[in-house]
Amino acid sequence: MASAAATPSPCHVSSPVISRSLSRLSPFHLSLSSAVHPPCRGNRRHGGSTVSSTIRCAAVGAAKEAETKRKGTFQIETLTNWLLKQEQAGVIDAELTIVLSSISMACKQIASLVQRASISNLTGVQGAVNVQGEDQKKLDVVSNEVFSNCLRSSGRTGIIASEEEDVPVAVEESYSGNYIVVFDPLDGSSNIDAAVSTGSIFGIYSPNDECLADIGDDSTLGTIEQRCVVNVCQPGSNLLAAGYCMYSSSIIFVLTIGQGVFAFTLDPMYGEFVLTQEDIKIPKAGKIYAFNEGNYQLWDDKLKKYIDDLKDPGPSGKPYSARYIGSLVGDFHRTLLYGGIYGYPRDKKSKNGKLRLLYECAPMSFIVEQAGGKGSDGHQRILDIQPTEIHQRVPLYIGSVEEVEKVEKYLA
């Protein structure tokens, strides 16, 4: 005689112990479980009591939910993966991918040096003066060497121009690419000894083969120096990519390749930059201004009037807030996220301002415009200015569109 017992359904709980446990569950527990995870079909009777499949289904549902959470938690996108996706999409080529990867490696090394500066005796002044007439910090020199070496080893850069170099330097061995890279290896170095935010800034221009000549053992550009200077001195509107790396409580690498602004944070667990912010947009207006008001008496009257009006509460009763770090990267990053304006104007002491157009103002202006902001010298767009020399200085007003246009009206 065939057995009357049917094949157990997947929801069947066969253990008498579990069955007895189920019988002791309160109506509240059973109803809550059923609400979260509806019972499966095919409940069976066991030992005279109905065995609910709720617990089994709840366990299956919880397992699936945990699996989903696990995927979400560990699904990260590194800078390398992101660059490869941009390359596959045709936004950048393989050569530019390698250059940007080399820059990110330089930033990791500099970040480590900055964090260990006091331990490694890298604080203080080197004893030399750079082409700007500024005392070089020890980390200025080391950071410049790190940046230059990483770019050279990439084999894809033809010319590099740095704040710490007198003239552009030709890379002796370039396999392909021949990109022109300009950079400030360590912005805000006056803050190093106080462990305040510093950063690196860079910009990348299209390849130019005219500067690649036989330069022998001398890596500086002797007879073709002037031609190379002209080639390097391109307006910011020609930039292919720009970015900065901020060395602070987190190491943040901000990058644009002309398709929006993206931020990557260095994860010390993996040693990789991980995508943390996509398509950053700066607020159209903001109530924060960042100017070195210690120079107030050296400014012209129009600028003084502008600053005075920012401090006036007006009908709203709320004046602008002053925030000034003294590091372009730190001040700019806050402005990018919160809105407002950063300014380094010309004054009686610095007739053209103090920031360099080629490797500070232009890259930052390219970034802010990609985020929906504006960069100006007070009268014209920074990216439209044609440089006439490598270390040319210009005034800079950068940030939210409405705030930059406001200061332009005062200075007109």
Side-chain angles (χ1 to χ4, degrees), residues 322-343:
R323 299 284 186 272
Y324 186 72
I325 298 172
S327 167
L328 172 59
V329 170
D331 281 312
F332 177 83
H333 188 70
R334 182 197 58 249
T335 304
L336 180 66
L337 298 182
Y338 301 157
I341 185 170
Y342 169 87

Side-chain angles (χ1 to χ4, degrees), residues 114 186-189 191-192 196-200 245-248 327 329:
V114 168
L186 195 61
D187 168 73
S189 57
N191 288 328
I192 291 172
V196 179
S197 298
T198 54
S200 300
C245 188
M246 183 174 70
Y247 314 117
S248 185
S327 167
V329 170

Side-chain angles (χ1 to χ4, degrees), residues 222-243:
T223 58
I224 59 171
E225 176 182 318
Q226 292 304 315
R227 185 165 33 140
C228 285
V229 167
V230 171
N231 289 332
V232 171
C233 288
Q234 301 178 43
S237 55
N238 288 356
L239 280 164
L240 298 178

Side-chain angles (χ1 to χ4, degrees), residues 111-336:
S112 178
L113 291 169
V114 168
Q115 289 173 338
R116 293 182 52 83
S118 298
I119 299 171
S120 303
N121 194 29
L122 287 175
T123 56
V125 178
Q126 173 76 7
V129 176
N130 66 12
V131 67
Q132 318 295 325
E134 302 164 336
D135 289 329
Q136 286 183 312
K137 298 281 187 177
K138 292 178 183 178
L139 266 180
D140 281 327
V141 178
V142 176
S143 299
N144 184 67
E145 186 176 346
V146 168
F147 232 97
S148 298
N149 288 342
C150 284
L151 289 170
R152 283 191 175 97
S153 64
S154 75
R156 269 72 183 179
T157 50
I159 302 294
I160 58 178
S162 166
E163 178 186 5
E164 306 300 330
E165 303 284 354
D166 294 349
V167 296
V169 176
V171 178
E172 296 177 9
E173 218 177 335
S174 182
Y175 305 111
S176 57
N178 302 329
Y179 287 95
I180 296 170
V181 182
V182 296
F183 59 91
D184 180 353
L186 195 61
D187 168 73
S189 57
S190 60
N191 288 328
I192 291 172
D193 295 358
V196 179
S197 298
T198 54
S200 300
I201 308 170
F202 65 89
I204 303 175
Y205 291 94
S206 59
N208 196 317
D209 294 334
E210 293 182 14
C211 276
L212 298 178
D214 184 9
I215 57 175
D217 296 331
D218 186 6
S219 62
T220 56
L221 307 173
T223 58
I224 59 171
E225 176 182 318
Q226 292 304 315
R227 185 165 33 140
C228 285
V229 167
V230 171
N231 289 332
V232 171
C233 288
Q234 301 178 43
S237 55
N238 288 356
L239 280 164
L240 298 178
Y244 61 86
C245 188
M246 183 174 70
Y247 314 117
S248 185
S249 57
S250 296
I251 312 302
I252 301 175
F253 187 87
V254 176
L255 172 67
T256 180
I257 51 176
Q259 302 280 338
V261 181
F262 297 80
F264 302 81
T265 303
L266 184 63
D267 188 335
M269 182 181 295
Y270 303 117
E272 293 281 355
F273 283 109
V274 175
L275 180 63
T276 47
Q277 289 175 286
E278 298 185 63
D279 198 20
I280 298 172
K281 294 298 181 185
I282 186 172
K284 292 188 179 298
K287 301 292 282 187
I288 299 175
Y289 72 97
F291 287 71
N292 183 1
E293 293 188 73
N295 295 325
Y296 180 88
Q297 295 300 331
L298 302 176
W299 295 338
D300 61 38
D301 293 337
K302 292 180 179 179
L303 186 60
K304 288 180 181 178
K305 172 68 170 140
Y306 165 73
I307 294 295
D308 290 342
D309 286 351
L310 293 186
K311 295 177 181 180
D312 185 357
S316 68
K318 294 182 179 180
Y320 279 61
S321 297
R323 299 284 186 272
Y324 186 72
I325 298 172
S327 167
L328 172 59
V329 170
D331 281 312
F332 177 83
H333 188 70
R334 182 197 58 249
T335 304
L336 180 66

